[in-house]
Amino acid sequence: MAQRVGIVAVAQTKFEEKPGLHIGELLYQASRDVMKQTGLEFKDDGTGIDSTIASGYDLMSGPGGAYMFLGYIVGAWQREDERVIEDGSMAVYYGAAQILSGHADVALVVGYSKETQIDKNLIECLSMDQVYQRRIGLDFVSSAALQAMRYTTKYKITPEQLAKVVVKSRKNAKNNPYAYCCDTITVKDVLRSTMLCDPIRVQEAKPTPVDGACALILANEEKAKKLTKKPVWITGMSSCYDHHELGYRDLANCDSLVTAASKAYKMAGITNPLKEFDVAEISEHYAYQEPLWCEGLGLCGKGEGGKLTDSGKTEMGGELPVNPSGGVLSGIPHCLAGMHSVVECALQLRGEADKRQVKGAKKALAHGVDGPAGQLHCVITLEN
Amino acid sequence: MTGERIAIVGVGQTVHKSKRTDVNTAELCAEAVEAALADAQLTMKDIDCVILGSFEPADGYSGPDKWIVPEIGAVGKAGFEMQNVGTTGGVVCATGFNMAASGLFENVLCVAWQKMDEAAGAFGRGGGGANEYWTGQFPMSPITNFARRTYDYMTRSGCTEEHLAMVRVKQDQCAQRNKYAQLKLGLTVEKVMNDFLLAWPIRRLHMCPTTAGSAAIIVCPEQRAKKVSKKPVWVEDWFTCHQGGALTMAEDPQASTLGYACKKIYKRCGIINPKKEIQAWEVYEPASTAELRWMEEVGICEDYTAWKLFEQGRVGTDKEIPFNPSGGVTATNPIGCTPVVRVVEAALQVRGDAEEHQVPGTINRALATAYGGQGENVVFLLKKTL
Amino acid sequence: MLKKEEPQDPAVAFRYPRVITYKHSLGYQSKFAHALKMGRIIATKCPVDGRCTIPPRIVCPMHHVRQTEWVDQGQRGKLLSAFKINFPMFDSRTGDLKSWETPIVSIELEGGARMDGWCAEKDTEKLKSGMILEAVWRPPEERKGRVDDILYWKPV
Amino acid sequence: MTPQIKKSVADIPEEPIVVEVQAHSNFLVTVGNTGNKFLTEIRDNKTIMGIKCPQCKKVYVPPRTHCPTCFTRMSEWVKLSGKGTLETYTVVRYQEPYMPKEPPYAYGVIKLDGADTGIVHLIGGVDLSKIKVGMKIEPVFKEQREGSILDIDYFKPIG
C-alpha cells in the first residue's frame, strides 16, 4: 500500500438480546463512543469526520430502504454516507480504500445488527439463488453443514476437535466483558447437545439472536498520528469471491480465502503467518470453520486444521491465540462478525484488551466472511 | 486528492426494456459486462475488483451479489456489494472510483442492475420503502413524493401544467434518439396534458417507468488507463451527498441535497460558471417535473426560473442547454442501475460516442447525478482531458 | 397498479411469495406511540435550535446532539399542502389495492413539528395553505399507538 | 394560529413497545432461456442436462449462460445419465417455513457422472442414518412435473 491507514478509535456495544432497544440506539451508542474517544464531530470543513460507511443487511432492519431512516444518526446530513451490504469487515476494507484514494481523510465505519427482530435464517435463505438452491430450501445453516460434512470426512477431522474449538471460544469469552455467551462448557457437553443439521450441533453454531453494534474511526497516516498516541495500522487487506453454487466448489477447501489471504499478506509483507502474527480474530460462525479458515489463512497445511486445534497453538498463551475475544461462537450478530474481529485486533494491538490481552501483540490478523459456506472472504492485517 | 487520478475506460449497458423473459437477473448483468469489456477491449481476466449493487427491495434477494458474481465471471476477484435506495448505482460508481483511486487495483468493474418485471409483487403489504412503522401507514411512494414536490414548486415558481408537459415532451424527443432508451412515445404537449392523472399535478407520463436493465463501467488508475484506452474519460470528482432521513417530505417538500453537493463539488474543481463550463448533463429525475428543480439546483439558472427556459425552447440535445440528452430517467429507469446509466451516458457524451443523441461540439466536462430516498444525491464530474 | 398475472410456465417464470415478520422495537420512539394512545401528539426537540421533529429522532440530524426533550404539539395545525391520489395504491397494512378518496395533507402543528395526515375535506380546491386543521381521533379503546389513531384532520 | 398550548409530557409513559410488522411480497422469478431448457428437459424427458464451456471444457450442472471461470458464453448442451456420486450430505433437523419438507430430511451435493460440478438436491429413499459419502445415487422424478428443480423429487441410492 502506498500509504498507511490508521485505526484511531474502536468501540463495541455489549452483545446481548436487546428487544426493547431501537436499532438506531445501537448505532448511536457505538458511533458516539468512538467520536468521544477522538473528539471528532461531523463537519464539512475537513476538520471532522468526512465520510461514514455502514454495514448491515438492509432486509434485517426493515422491509426495504430501512437504512434510509437511520443514516442521520451517523451523520448522513449532506455528507458522504455509504453502505456495504456485506459482513462488517468489508466496510472496514472499503473505508480504508476510501482513505487511500484521498477522498476522505477521516472515515467513520459502523456496523449494526438486530437479530431479535427477525428470523435470521430466512434472511440468509434469501441470499441463495432463486431457481435452484433457494427452491429446495437451502440456507446458510444447511450450506455450512454440507461444507462441514465434506471437510470433516475428507480430512478426518474428529467431533472432539471441533468441540474443543467451542470450549476454547467460551473459555476465552469469559475474559471479554462484551461477550454474549460465556458459559462453562466441556467437550462432552458440546458432543451431547442436540443435532441442528448434521454434523453441526446446536452448541457448535453461533448463538442467536444477539443484538449489537461496532464502530471504528479510520484516518490517513498524518491525521491518525495527531488523533491518537496509539494508532493501529492496516497493512494489508483483500476480499475474494467464490462460486455461489455449492456444487461448483470443493467445499473442503476455501479457495477464495486462500486468494484473499495471499493478497493481503503480500501487501503486508507476511511470509509465515503463524509465526509473524501475534493474535488472530477469525469469523467462525460454526465450529468447523475455525480449523478450515485457519487452513485457508495459511496458519497450517491443508487438512491440518484439526491438528492445529489439538496442538494448543491457538489457545490463549499458545503460539498464535485465535479469537481471544471468544469470537463469533460466543455470540456476535450476523454481519458484524468481521468488523468485530477488526475491533478486537485493534484493542489487542493497543494493549487495551484487559483480561483477554495477548502480551506484546504487534501484528494481528482479522477475518470476515459472508455468503453460503464462506463464499466471500475478507482478510485484514494490522500492526501497531 | 492524494490518491491516483482515474478514468473510465469502458462502459456498457443493455437495451432497456419493460420486460426481459429470456434472461434472469444474473444473465442480464452479464450482457452489460460483456458490452463494457468489449468497449474497453479488455477481458474478464484483466478485472481485479468488482463492485456490485441493486435496489434490494425490488430484487427479491438479500445480498444478490453472491449469485450474480459467478455469472459475470468474477469468481476469485475482490469486491463487495453496495446499496442505498435510489442512489445505489451512484454509490456503486463512487465505490468503484475510490477502489481504483486507492491504488490497490488496476481495473475495477462496477455493475448495477434491476429487473423490475420481476418485482411487480414487491410492493405489497408492508413493502416498498415504508419501514418506520408509521410511514407505512400512508401510501407513500415516489409518486406522492413528487406530487408534493411539484405542487410546492408550482406554487413558488408560478409555472403551469403546460410547462410540465413541455419538459416531458423534451425528454421524449431526446429518448427517441437513444437506441438504449425504453420509452419512445412520440409525445405532444396535448397528449401529456390529457394523460391519466395519478396525483395532481403528476400524470402517468410524468413518472419514470419500471425497467429491466443493467449497466457496467470499467475504471482504471491513470497509468493503466493511458495504456489501455485511446479515449479515457477522466473522473474529475465525485461526492456522495446523502441525508439519511434527516428531513422527510412532510418536513420539507423541497428536501434535496443536490444544490449543496453541486456547490461543494464546483468549489473543489474551481468551476465558477457551471452552465458554460459543463457541456452535457445527465441528471437523475424520477419524475419529469423534477427536472425543473434540478436544473436550478445544479446551477444552470436562478431558483424557480427553469420553466422559462422550456417555454423559450432552450433545452434539448442540440440546444443551448443539453440537459439529459439520453432521454433521462422518465424514459428509462432500472432503479438501482439508473445512476450507472447516467454515468455511462455522460461518459459517452465526453467521448463523443453517443451517436444519434450526441451533443454537438466538444464536451469537455459532463455532470451525472444519482437521486434516491427523500432527496439524497450523488454527483459525478467527468472530463475529457486531465 | 398490478395487472392480474396470467398463469406462467414455471420453467419460464414462477412466483416466489414470501413473508418476513419484523418485531420492530420502537425504543426511544415508544413515548410517541404512548402519546398517540392518549390522544396526544408529541415531538422531539433539538436542544440547539429548538426544531421539533416527527418522526421523533434520536439525535438532531443537523447538529448531532441527542434529543431528549419532548414537546407537546397540541391538537391543531396549519395546512402546508394537500394532494389527492387518483389511482388505487397499496395499503401497506393489508397489502390490498385501495382507492384513496381523502387527500393527504401536510400540517405544521402548533408546536412547530410537521407531519402528514388525512383530511376530512375531500375537495382539494377548498383546501388552502395556511388554514387551520384540527385532529379527529379514534375512540380511545380503538387506538393502537399508531399515526392512524388520528382518523383525519378537519378544517376548524 | 391559536396561542401555543404548553402541556406537560411528563405523564406519558416511556416503556418500550415492540411492534410486529409483516412484509409480504410475491416476486415473479424469471428463469431465463438457459434455465428454461434445463428445467423443461427434466419436465418433459426426465433428463438432466449439463452445459459445456467451449474454452475450459468443463460441464456445469445446474447450467448457466456464462462460464464462471472464463466468462465465455456457453451453448453446448451435454446429456447426462443422472447417476452420480454423493460428495457430501447433511440431515436438516430444524424447521423453517421455506423448507420443502418436514424435517428431518437430507440434502446432498451430487457430482453427476459426466459433469465437472455437483448439484445440491434432496436425498431420499433411504434411512437417513444410512446415508454415506461416496455412495452412488440416481434421481427419482415426480409423477406430476411442472418445470421446476423440484420435479426431481430426490436422489436415492442405486440398488
Side-chain angles (χ1 to χ4, degrees):
Chain A
M1 287 199 279
Q3 51 155 314
R4 295 193 293 181
V5 176
I7 298 174
V8 296
V10 293
Q12 55 188 316
T13 62
K14 170 138 179 72
F15 296 103
E16 59 191 354
E17 286 175 68
K18 300 172 182 176
L21 217 54
H22 187 268
I23 197 160
E25 237 151 319
L26 293 171
L27 273 172
Y28 178 75
Q29 281 175 12
S31 58
R32 260 298 135 183
D33 193 342
V34 282
M35 287 165 73
K36 235 184 234 161
Q37 287 175 37
T38 53
L40 288 166
E41 284 293 332
F42 299 109
K43 283 188 183 151
D44 59 357
D45 57 0
T47 59
I49 297 167
D50 300 315
S51 149
T52 307
I53 296 147
S55 87
Y57 274 24
D58 209 35
L59 271 179
M60 287 198 59
S61 10
Y67 190 74
M68 204 168 88
F69 297 92
L70 295 170
Y72 76 91
I73 298 166
V74 284
W77 174 240
Q78 294 188 331
R79 289 178 50 259
E80 302 245 5
D81 146 73
E82 292 168 7
R83 195 154 44 92
V84 180
I85 307 284
E86 307 282 7
D87 176 78
S89 51
M90 254 65 82
V92 179
Y93 179 28
Y94 176 46
Q98 208 177 54
I99 286 168
L100 287 176
S101 85
H103 210 70
D105 291 342
V106 181
L108 169 68
V109 182
V110 290
Y112 62 100
S113 194
K114 201 155 188 305
E115 289 179 348
T116 46
Q117 64 175 29
I118 192 81
D119 175 2
K120 176 183 78 78
N121 285 349
L122 171 63
I123 301 294
E124 291 179 342
C125 170
L126 293 175
S127 289
M128 310 302 285
D129 81 276
Q130 291 179 328
V131 182
Y132 308 113
Q133 301 189 127
R134 199 194 298 177
R135 209 87 206 276
I136 58 165
L138 214 60
D139 58 20
F140 283 15
V141 183
S142 39
S143 309
L146 286 167
Q147 185 170 38
M149 186 67 86
R150 170 76 182 149
Y151 173 58
T152 50
T153 44
K154 183 168 178 186
Y155 294 122
K156 313 243 166 353
I157 309 287
T158 63
E160 286 76 20
Q161 286 171 332
L162 298 185
K164 272 185 201 164
V165 173
V166 183
V167 173
K168 174 187 71 118
S169 163
R170 299 284 160 80
K171 203 169 95 193
N172 289 350
K174 279 201 171 78
N175 294 327
N176 181 1
Y178 300 102
Y180 169 66
C181 206
C182 46
D183 43 347
T184 310
I185 196 168
T186 62
V187 169
K188 262 191 189 158
D189 294 336
V190 177
L191 295 179
R192 257 190 247 139
S193 67
T194 326
M195 193 61 94
L196 180 71
C197 196
D198 301 27
I200 296 176
R201 290 176 184 278
V202 171
Q203 292 288 4
E204 291 176 337
K206 163 188 121 54
T208 187
V210 192
D211 303 333
C214 286
L216 340 100
I217 290 182
L218 304 176
N220 61 16
E221 189 156 356
E222 183 197 339
K223 286 214 170 161
K225 283 180 180 160
K226 277 188 202 149
L227 284 166
T228 175
K229 281 185 193 136
K230 293 191 277 186
V232 172
W233 305 106
I234 293 177
T235 51
M237 53 186 186
S238 185
S239 74
C240 186
Y241 277 107
D242 209 331
H243 290 285
H244 180 66
E245 283 79 0
L246 302 180
Y248 280 26
R249 356 174 187 155
D250 184 347
L251 291 171
N253 303 334
C254 37
D255 298 337
S256 60
L257 180 54
V258 174
T259 314
S262 65
K263 278 186 192 162
Y265 294 167
K266 202 177 153 198
M267 272 188 215
I270 303 273
T271 46
N272 186 343
L274 184 66
K275 272 219 173 108
E276 289 177 61
F277 288 117
D278 303 304
V279 57
E281 282 284 343
I282 294 174
S283 300
E284 16 63 300
H285 296 255
Y286 305 94
Y288 82 90
Q289 293 186 339
E290 187 173 304
L292 180 55
W293 297 167
C294 280
E295 291 172 23
L297 287 163
L299 305 181
C300 60
K302 250 188 198 176
E304 289 169 5
K307 279 186 216 151
L308 183 72
T309 307
D310 278 339
S311 72
K313 283 180 186 167
T314 56
E315 302 256 352
M316 284 301 277
E319 193 175 353
L320 173 62
V322 172
N323 294 337
S325 68
V328 188
L329 284 176
S330 71
I332 307 294
H334 180 92
C335 258
L336 214 54
M339 195 181 291
H340 174 259
S341 297
V342 179
V343 167
E344 279 294 328
C345 284
L347 286 176
Q348 291 283 357
L349 295 180
R350 288 165 73 113
E352 291 170 1
D354 297 333
K355 280 202 274 178
R356 57 192 189 283
Q357 179 68 43
V358 175
K359 278 205 183 91
K362 286 199 165 54
K363 286 184 180 178
L365 171 64
H367 160 259
V369 61
D370 206 325
Q375 192 194 347
L376 174 59
H377 287 277
C378 183
V379 179
I380 297 176
T381 60
L382 303 146
E383 217 175 289
N384 62 5
Chain B
M1 299 261 283
T2 52
E4 301 261 354
R5 292 192 288 191
I6 52 165
I8 298 171
V9 301
V11 295
Q13 58 181 320
T14 59
V15 174
H16 301 284
K17 290 184 175 165
S18 68
K19 257 187 195 172
R20 283 295 300 273
T21 46
D22 57 330
V23 288
N24 62 29
T25 312
E27 290 157 1
L28 187 73
C29 294
E31 280 183 16
V33 173
E34 270 177 345
L37 287 171
D39 185 50
Q41 293 182 314
L42 293 172
T43 66
M44 205 59 209
K45 273 204 188 94
D46 300 310
I47 305 295
D48 43 16
C49 176
V50 284
I51 305 295
L52 304 104
S54 80
F55 177 53
E56 278 183 17
D59 224 353
Y61 276 85
S62 170
D65 58 318
K66 318 273 182 338
W67 169 59
I68 306 280
V69 153
E71 189 66 53
I72 61 167
V75 170
K77 301 186 194 301
F80 44 81
E81 189 201 346
M82 301 295 290
Q83 196 217 313
N84 192 76
V85 286
T87 59
T88 299
V91 177
V92 167
C93 290
T95 307
F97 295 162
N98 277 322
M99 291 308 251
S102 71
L104 296 174
F105 299 102
E106 287 278 88
N107 308 277
V108 180
L109 173 70
C110 306
V111 193
W113 64 90
Q114 207 80 66
K115 204 158 177 300
M116 286 300 287
D117 50 340
E118 300 196 8
F123 301 105
R125 183 167 159 197
N131 93 308
E132 296 271 6
Y133 86 120
W134 52 78
T135 55
Q137 292 158 27
F138 296 102
M140 283 300 151
S141 77
I143 300 170
T144 52
N145 280 349
F146 279 94
R148 194 191 303 236
R149 246 179 220 282
T150 315
Y151 175 83
D152 192 66
Y153 182 84
M154 288 169 81
T155 337
R156 288 182 198 223
S157 69
C159 87
T160 65
E161 275 199 88
E162 204 170 350
H163 295 111
L164 304 182
M166 283 178 196
V167 179
R168 184 66 189 92
V169 171
K170 181 233 77 176
Q171 287 162 338
D172 188 52
Q173 283 164 355
C174 292
Q176 301 236 9
R177 293 160 68 170
N178 178 3
K179 64 180 176 188
Y180 294 104
Q182 182 195 344
L183 293 183
K184 301 170 193 181
L185 302 165
L187 296 176
T188 60
V189 170
E190 290 71 48
K191 252 191 201 170
V192 178
M193 290 196 50
N194 292 322
D195 190 43
F196 178 69
L197 191 64
L198 295 173
W200 196 87
I202 297 284
R203 293 176 188 280
R204 193 175 42 199
L205 282 169
H206 285 312
M207 281 316 290
C208 49
T210 56
T211 308
S214 172
I217 58 170
I218 297 167
V219 196
C220 297
E222 187 177 353
Q223 296 305 322
R224 172 82 181 160
K226 283 179 176 161
K227 204 171 133 199
V228 300
S229 177
K230 285 198 188 89
K231 289 195 275 187
V233 177
W234 300 99
V235 182
E236 191 172 10
D237 203 352
W238 63 94
F239 182 33
T240 317
C241 193
H242 286 159
Q243 59 120 329
L247 280 175
T248 62
M249 284 281 159
E251 290 168 291
D252 180 4
Q254 292 297 347
S256 167
T257 57
L258 184 59
Y260 177 84
C262 285
K263 266 186 210 123
K264 189 157 176 170
I265 209 166
Y266 293 161
K267 200 176 158 196
R268 286 210 295 232
C269 300
I271 294 174
I272 297 152
N273 184 350
K275 195 181 150 198
K276 272 208 180 124
E277 291 171 70
I278 298 167
Q279 290 84 21
W281 308 79
E282 278 293 344
V283 177
Y284 189 135
E285 20 63 272
S288 58
T289 56
E291 198 165 297
L292 294 166
R293 184 66 189 131
W294 290 180
M295 279 174 87
E296 294 150 7
E297 291 206 16
V298 299
I300 288 180
C301 56
E302 290 294 310
D303 275 356
Y304 306 109
T305 59
W307 56 280
K308 288 179 190 158
L309 298 175
F310 281 90
E311 199 175 66
Q312 295 153 4
R314 287 159 67 190
V315 189
T317 311
D318 343 287
K319 298 197 181 133
E320 187 189 335
I321 302 149
F323 208 77
N324 288 339
S326 67
V329 184
T330 20
T332 314
N333 183 34
I335 307 181
C337 162
T338 307
V340 184
V341 178
R342 303 274 73 70
V343 174
V344 167
E345 288 290 348
L348 287 175
Q349 291 290 350
V350 172
R351 267 170 32 180
D353 285 347
E355 297 173 4
E356 275 187 60
H357 62 286
Q358 177 68 41
V359 173
T362 314
I363 312 294
N364 284 319
R365 255 205 199 101
L367 180 127
T369 77
Y371 172 91
Q374 313 207 22
E376 318 212 325
N377 287 276
V378 187
V379 181
F380 304 97
L381 266 184
L382 309 180
K383 59 178 181 177
K384 201 178 190 82
T385 47
L386 264 177
Chain C
M1 281 197 296
L2 263 188
K3 273 178 229 137
K4 196 89 187 142
E5 284 291 333
E6 60 275 23
Q8 289 269 1
D9 179 355
V12 176
F14 58 88
R15 284 277 169 199
Y16 183 83
R18 81 170 190 223
V19 183
I20 307 176
T21 309
Y22 293 92
K23 294 191 188 91
H24 285 303
S25 331
L26 297 186
Y28 63 90
Q29 302 168 335
S30 302
K31 190 166 175 129
F32 180 73
H34 284 298
L36 289 171
K37 275 190 202 168
M38 296 164 75
R40 293 175 61 182
I41 308 165
I42 56 171
T44 45
K45 183 178 166 185
C46 169
V48 178
D49 66 357
R51 191 175 86 104
C52 290
T53 58
I54 293 177
R57 292 182 171 88
I58 185 167
V59 294
C60 168
M62 288 80 184
H63 304 97
H64 247 277
V65 283
R66 178 106 202 198
Q67 305 191 135
T68 46
E69 193 187 340
W70 292 85
V71 179
D72 189 272
Q73 298 293 316
Q75 298 287 328
R76 290 183 177 191
K78 196 169 67 175
L79 177 74
L80 296 172
S81 71
F83 63 92
K84 207 166 156 179
I85 304 172
N86 292 340
F87 62 101
M89 230 168 99
F90 285 116
D91 180 348
S92 56
R93 180 71 47 72
T94 62
D96 301 330
L97 280 177
K98 191 174 151 185
S99 296
W100 305 89
E101 304 204 325
T102 44
I104 295 178
V105 287
S106 118
I107 304 141
E108 187 174 311
L109 297 163
E110 287 172 348
R114 294 176 172 198
M115 69 182 292
D116 283 335
W118 302 105
C119 187
E121 177 55 65
K122 286 184 187 173
D123 187 358
T124 41
E125 293 289 307
K126 287 188 189 156
L127 292 169
K128 298 272 179 266
S129 311
M131 67 194 289
I132 305 292
L133 301 176
E134 192 175 47
V136 177
W137 295 80
R138 277 181 206 280
E141 61 277 10
E142 284 177 28
R143 290 183 206 150
K144 289 189 175 127
R146 304 191 295 220
V147 174
D148 61 359
D149 289 348
I150 306 171
L151 275 174
Y152 52 83
W153 295 78
K154 72 164 199 243
V156 177
Chain D
M1 184 80 93
T2 45
Q4 198 157 323
I5 303 154
K6 283 204 173 133
K7 256 174 116 180
S8 162
V9 291
D11 58 325
I12 302 170
E14 285 185 0
E15 77 259 28
I17 298 177
V18 175
V19 191
E20 204 171 285
V21 177
Q22 280 195 334
H24 293 241
S25 62
N26 197 4
F27 284 88
L28 183 71
V29 181
T30 314
V31 177
N33 286 350
T34 309
N36 177 276
K37 162 93 176 154
F38 178 70
L39 294 176
T40 41
E41 282 290 338
I42 290 177
R43 180 186 62 191
D44 302 341
N45 306 322
K46 293 196 200 176
T47 309
I48 300 176
M49 304 283 279
I51 197 162
K52 190 172 175 181
C53 173
Q55 288 218 341
C56 312
K57 307 287 176 207
K58 273 189 180 170
V59 177
Y60 295 98
V61 190
R64 50 175 61 254
T65 311
H66 291 82
C67 172
T69 31
C70 69
F71 196 54
T72 310
R73 224 170 234 277
M74 302 188 283
S75 55
E76 190 190 337
W77 288 90
V78 182
K79 197 173 162 180
L80 304 172
S81 67
K83 295 188 173 66
T85 318
L86 187 65
E87 266 200 342
T88 174
Y89 73 95
T90 182
V91 180
V92 177
R93 298 177 196 275
Y94 60 100
Q95 194 159 12
E96 290 287 351
Y98 49 79
M99 287 178 171
K101 278 186 185 177
E102 281 281 307
Y105 65 94
Y107 288 120
V109 173
I110 304 122
K111 181 82 143 271
L112 294 171
D113 297 345
D116 290 278
T117 64
I119 182 167
V120 188
H121 215 290
L122 301 159
I123 305 296
V126 58
D127 185 345
L128 292 180
S129 62
K130 291 196 174 123
I131 303 175
K132 290 269 169 322
V133 170
M135 68 202 306
K136 295 296 280 179
I137 47 179
E138 63 183 5
V140 176
F141 294 91
K142 276 186 187 151
E143 279 304 309
Q144 293 286 321
R145 292 183 300 278
E146 49 156 10
S148 106
I149 189 69
L150 287 169
D151 284 354
I152 303 172
D153 208 358
Y154 51 79
F155 280 81
K156 69 157 199 208
I158 297 174

